[in-house]
Amino acid sequence: MNSFNGFVVKEFKQIFRDKRTLVVLFGMPIIMLILFGFAIRNEVKNVKIGVLDLSKDAVTRELTQKLASSEAFEFSVYLSTYDEVEEVFKAGEIKEIIVFEPNFSEKLTLEGIANVQVITDATDPNLSNIVQSYTGAIIRDYIQELNYQGTTLQQGIQPTIKMMYNPELKSVNLFVPGLIAVILMLISALMTSISITREKEMGNMEILLVSPLKPIHIIIGKVLPYLVLSVINVITILILAHFIFEVPFRGSYILFFIEAIIFILTALALGVFISSVANNQQTAMMVSLAGLLLPTVLLSGFIFPVESMPYPLQMVSHIIPAKWFLIVVRSIMLKGSGIEILWMETLILFGIALFFMALSMKKFNVRLQ
Amino acid sequence: MYDFAIQTNELSRTFGDFTAVDRITFDVKQGEIFGFLGANGAGKTTAMKMLTGLLTPTSGEARVSGLDVFKEAEEIKQNIGYMSQKFSLYDDLTPEENIEFYGGVYGLKGQELNHKKEELIHSVGLEKFRKKLVRSLPLGWKQKLAFSISIIHNPKIVFLDEPTGGVDPVTRRQFWEKIYEVSNQGITVFVTTHYMDEAEYCDRVSIMVDGRIEALDSPDELKRTFNAKSIEEIFIQLARSAERGEE
Amino acid sequence: MNPVVQISDLSKSFGIVNALKEISLEIHDNELFGFIGPDGAGKTTLFRILTTLLIPNEGTVRVMGMDVVSDYKKIRPLLGYMPGTFSLYQDLSVEENMKFFASVFGTTIEENYDLVKPIYRQLEPFKDRYAGNLSGGMKQKLALSCALIHKPKLLILDEPTTGVDAVSRKEFWEMLHLLKEEGISIIASTPYMDEANQCDRIALIDKGSVLNINTPDNVISGFEKPLYGLKHPNKYALINHLREFQYSESVHPFGEFVHYTDSRGKINTSELKNFLEGKGLNKPVVKEIEPDIEDMFMSLMKPEEIHV
């Protein structure tokens, strides 16, 4: 048994002496727990809602108050006409609009029923389900109160539910745009960083640096194949999503691809940046996975809604390129939004891309140290 | 029990249709220093792996310390010492810890292990550095330590795979003096090397070309047979006349 | 004639390791200059500074008249470089590797074909083979061809013959001589002392310091004492007994012979013979011999110290 013991002892010693690995072994779980713990929310908070009050009487104002004061919701906008509903949803911030029909409290008092329409953005079906059931609960509570106050209502307030953009509440419609972002990050950032560090490991980078090849040429040369591959991948995903999963594509293809290319450029630049701080493929891979992929999956709104996260994490999500890309892609695919609505997000994406491209070029080592 | 430390008969190893080792037949006497020479790709490493139980031969026979390489490969590993060019020391452990680990692997424990440990540290001269990480030691010291550790369990044979690559000339020679010491104690030493002058330190030398043994004798006899002034000349003669279909 | 390399008080360290310590030397134009020293001597670090890939901590280095720090952009296109860990592109063929390096340097295989012909000719039968499937010697030849394809003024080769068999090593140096005749300056490093004789001038380098710079012959003639070679079938006993001799200074095995220097300098060989026979060694051979580079290197070396 002695040689076995000796072997085990050795393994422990080696692990504890490798400071870098220790940081990963102990640091990672802690970070992941915090991220997961705070980011994964099944409860819903601060969801932005809007109200179209065609009646503007005491009851509707009270109901609006109730909704606004709920923790789950954040009252954002008063609409004036029904036409605005579509626009507001396309802009992306509002997840639910409540429409009170005209002469609401009259109808309630005289006929005993009044209609309220609850329209949700079902791009994220989970969120929309939750939001819609909260709304329903608040309305029912209100009815209870009214009854309690002595007003007996026969049928009370009837909410009609309308799920926009994703009436069947298909999860795949939520996931596919997010998947595009994740895959692009994977291919562009991870593969680029590995490719460049492999060159360094092999010793060939030395020769390339000493040659007339300008550093910018080396970068572009390394990056170009992955740009092409990424675009092909995006097309493939769209085709599969359309034919197999029937994911809708309601917007402009040209706009979509422009946005995709901006995002790909950002991911590529991040890959180059990582390669300049990593000396071997293993480090490059770990940094890409832990530093890029994980936040992209958790904090970009891929699965878990950003609004429900604590404020600090929401701030962090602002600098994650995928978050903006997801808003853009979901809007284009599911809502058919155009550049007029998405100009801000596009600008932000473009700015992030430029920033990282400049940073990675500056950081690229012209020498070995 | 057995007269020869190593005995092979038509030992071969193929990889697909590539014959790495082609029916080699030779013996190594007990207590000999046997030099195993050959160019890169000639089959030295493959042959050595078969003799140390790391690779199963495709055909032929071989016995190491009387043990059969096919059926008793595991026992062979317990009874030999091995040191490869990469020195097989753990950089992130101290010399003491390396000794304890390898000693334990070979079944040494308690008093015996402690005793050996002290002996080893003294003989290499690492008293002041026994608790420093091996990573911080210069190449020559690592090499001496690795060699001493490879024979910690007093094996009858020790296999050395290019142990002196890249090291400075003084350390190289000190290493060979250690080999002499060890051989003097009766341990058989089987060593491969790139340095032709080191062939002269061996009792007998074999030269492999294209998977076959093209020469085997004492250095002096070889020089007489090939009418050469140095082992290097013989090597070049043999290598030039047989190109491995280029390689 | 301007020196192609001028190094002045060069020092370079990595953390606590002093890789190069105050090195000064000059390399002439169209010279075949060799750096001879074991692993860890500092050869690779020095070459990386010459090829502008590392910056000195102290001192100045000028290559072809230009400073390696400020003028690196101008120096790089004029260099041919073969790093120690160069592995070529394993999954490209011989020809594809050549084409790649030619294009990277803005030329084609055809343009400078005459220069690389003696080397490349040996590779041509295998031009479609993946570089990863070549033997060590062939890989080195391919690497050399790729380093030359743009006809550099200065060729820097870091341990080009390490891990290569004796035959290929000889051929490699023959090729370097041919290249020298084309007017190229060549700087090479090697741990093999016997290759020193192939160079016009050499620098013996160990543990970051240059021990000696001169032509191989002059290096050898710098050996101060007479050198004796002794031979006996029982080498181990011979070495041990020699060390017991009261006047023995250095005793080193050197293949067939044991090299010996005496603290008195010149000696009477029969005195030594008698001493050895008295110790039981029958008919030892003792004669005066010519030292070689390795003898000189070892006499100049300092013992390895552990810095922790």
Side-chain angles (χ1 to χ4, degrees), chain C residues 52-267:
Chain C
T52 75
L53 288 170
L54 287 177
I55 303 182
N57 288 124
E58 277 161 37
T60 50
V61 177
R62 300 187 81 80
V63 172
M64 291 179 278
M66 298 177 274
D67 184 278
V68 291
V69 179
S70 50
D71 296 322
Y72 70 94
K73 283 191 193 153
K74 290 191 231 152
I75 297 178
R76 286 181 180 182
L78 302 170
L79 294 175
Y81 177 44
M82 206 171 122
T85 50
F86 184 36
S87 34
L88 298 162
Y89 290 104
Q90 309 279 300
D91 36 10
L92 291 185
S93 74
V94 167
E95 194 176 19
E96 285 166 348
N97 266 287
M98 285 288 282
K99 281 200 174 139
F100 170 69
F101 284 103
S103 68
V104 157
F105 282 97
T107 179
T108 60
I109 302 182
E110 293 74 33
E111 218 176 290
N112 290 312
Y113 186 67
D114 288 330
L115 187 64
V116 295
K117 191 157 74 172
I119 313 162
Y120 191 54
R121 198 177 28 201
Q122 302 175 42
L123 295 164
E124 260 179 328
F126 312 99
K127 65 181 167 73
D128 292 322
R129 189 181 287 198
Y130 284 167
N133 292 335
L134 296 173
S135 74
M138 281 283 149
K139 277 189 191 163
Q140 298 298 76
K141 288 176 192 159
L142 177 57
L144 181 59
S145 310
C146 291
L148 282 174
I149 194 65
H150 60 297
K151 201 165 176 156
K153 289 239 182 77
L154 172 61
L155 191 58
I156 297 184
L157 311 165
D158 192 357
E159 295 211 16
T161 52
T162 297
V164 171
D165 65 87
V167 176
S168 301
R169 279 203 270 141
K170 252 178 132 49
E171 290 175 351
F172 197 85
W173 283 97
E174 282 162 17
M175 292 187 291
L176 291 185
H177 287 126
L178 286 175
L179 289 172
K180 190 195 146 182
E181 284 166 35
E182 299 279 341
I184 302 178
S185 309
I186 305 176
I187 305 177
S189 67
T190 174
Y192 298 112
M193 308 268 153
D194 53 318
E195 292 182 348
N197 292 310
Q198 305 274 356
C199 306
D200 296 329
R201 284 193 310 148
I202 56 175
L204 301 182
I205 180 169
D206 187 43
K207 301 188 195 60
S209 302
V210 169
L211 305 172
N212 197 330
I213 309 172
N214 220 319
T215 64
D217 287 335
N218 286 346
V219 167
I220 293 173
S221 56
F223 197 80
E224 288 158 350
K225 289 210 167 74
L227 184 67
Y228 296 92
L230 288 82
K231 185 170 164 167
H232 189 273
N234 189 343
K235 282 199 195 66
Y236 188 45
L238 177 60
I239 294 172
N240 284 336
H241 292 312
L242 272 176
R243 292 217 171 108
E244 291 164 11
F245 189 59
Q246 59 171 325
Y247 298 113
S248 79
E249 193 178 59
S250 74
V251 179
H252 293 298
F254 254 84
E256 232 191 323
F257 288 88
V258 174
H259 286 196
Y260 170 82
T261 59
D262 194 287
S263 54
R264 299 166 294 178
K266 198 147 176 76
I267 61 165

Side-chain angles (χ1 to χ4, degrees), chain A residues 199 202 206 366 368-369, chain C residues 12 48 53 76 81 85 89:
Chain A
E199 197 93 30
M202 279 199 330
E206 284 183 59
V366 207
L368 284 180
Q369 61 167 165
Chain C
K12 177 73 185 172
R48 283 182 172 159
L53 288 170
R76 286 181 180 182
Y81 177 44
T85 50
Y89 290 104

Side-chain angles (χ1 to χ4, degrees), chain B residues 39-40 126 129 132 136-141 165-173 177 180-181 184 194-198 200-202 220 223 229 232 235-236 239-240 243 245-247, chain C residues 38-39 126 129 133-136 138 163-167 169-171 174 191-194 206-207 231 235-236 239 243 251-256 294 297-298 301 304-308:
Chain B
N40 287 346
L126 285 171
F129 311 101
K132 305 285 179 187
S136 58
L137 299 178
L139 202 57
W141 293 78
V167 172
D168 74 76
V170 171
T171 310
R172 202 152 62 82
R173 287 164 173 78
E177 290 190 37
Y180 278 138
E181 238 179 77
N184 224 37
H194 252 139
Y195 290 98
M196 293 301 144
D197 63 324
E198 289 182 354
E200 302 272 5
Y201 303 145
C202 306
D220 283 340
K223 281 183 283 191
K229 285 187 298 247
E232 180 161 3
F235 190 89
I236 295 178
R240 278 218 160 114
E243 305 278 46
E246 193 276 307
E247 12 225 79
Chain C
D39 284 358
F126 312 99
R129 189 181 287 198
N133 292 335
L134 296 173
S135 74
M138 281 283 149
V164 171
D165 65 87
V167 176
R169 279 203 270 141
K170 252 178 132 49
E171 290 175 351
E174 282 162 17
Y192 298 112
M193 308 268 153
D194 53 318
D206 187 43
K207 301 188 195 60
K231 185 170 164 167
K235 282 199 195 66
Y236 188 45
I239 294 172
R243 292 217 171 108
V251 179
H252 293 298
F254 254 84
E256 232 191 323
E294 196 156 9
F297 193 97
M298 287 165 58
M301 265 182 67
E304 259 182 330
E305 283 149 24
I306 306 180
H307 301 286
V308 276

